[in-house]
Amino acid sequence: MSYKEDFISNLKYYRNQKGYSQAKLAEECNCQPGTIGCIECGRQFPSFDLLFKISDVLKINPADLFLRNASNSIFETRKIMKEDFLSYVGNFVKEHF
């Protein structure tokens, strides 16, 4: 995946996490209604000002939008928590309490 594809995936992920439609995010960012859709389709890239506004509205660090597919990282973390950490804690509690 390219950085642009990661950016688009992360933007969609964080927008959905916030429960915003593309139109709602555009409204909150004070930009044209189709702007977010154009960004998510890869036809447009946000200015620095819009990038910072998007991150402010989504309550994330702007760098989070550029991480290598943050949505996969979160799912991977949840998987590790479910499969490894929770069983470890369960065994620890059984042994010590």
Side-chain angles (χ1 to χ4, degrees), residues 7-46:
F7 176 87
I8 291 168
S9 293
N10 292 336
L11 176 58
K12 290 177 183 179
Y13 173 76
Y14 288 117
R15 178 178 58 76
N16 287 321
Q17 286 292 92
K18 190 77 172 169
Y20 284 175
S21 65
Q22 292 175 347
K24 177 66 174 170
L25 180 58
E27 178 185 326
E28 293 293 319
C29 292
N30 198 29
C31 64
Q32 294 297 316
T35 300
I36 303 299
C38 287
I39 293 168
E40 289 186 359
C41 289
R43 288 182 279 167
Q44 186 175 328
F45 201 76

Side-chain angles (χ1 to χ4, degrees), residues 3 10 15 28 35 47 52 78-79 82 88:
Y3 284 108
N10 292 336
R15 178 178 58 76
E28 293 293 319
T35 300
S47 66
F52 289 118
R78 286 182 182 154
K79 180 181 172 190
K82 281 183 179 178
Y88 172 80

Side-chain angles (χ1 to χ4, degrees), residues 27-73:
E27 178 185 326
E28 293 293 319
C29 292
N30 198 29
C31 64
Q32 294 297 316
T35 300
I36 303 299
C38 287
I39 293 168
E40 289 186 359
C41 289
R43 288 182 279 167
Q44 186 175 328
F45 201 76
S47 66
F48 280 116
D49 289 339
L50 183 54
L51 176 68
F52 289 118
K53 184 64 179 171
I54 289 169
S55 62
D56 284 344
V57 168
L58 297 177
K59 297 187 183 343
I60 59 172
N61 187 300
D64 292 339
L65 292 168
F66 292 95
L67 294 174
R68 287 280 179 196
N69 203 342
S71 59
N72 280 346
S73 298

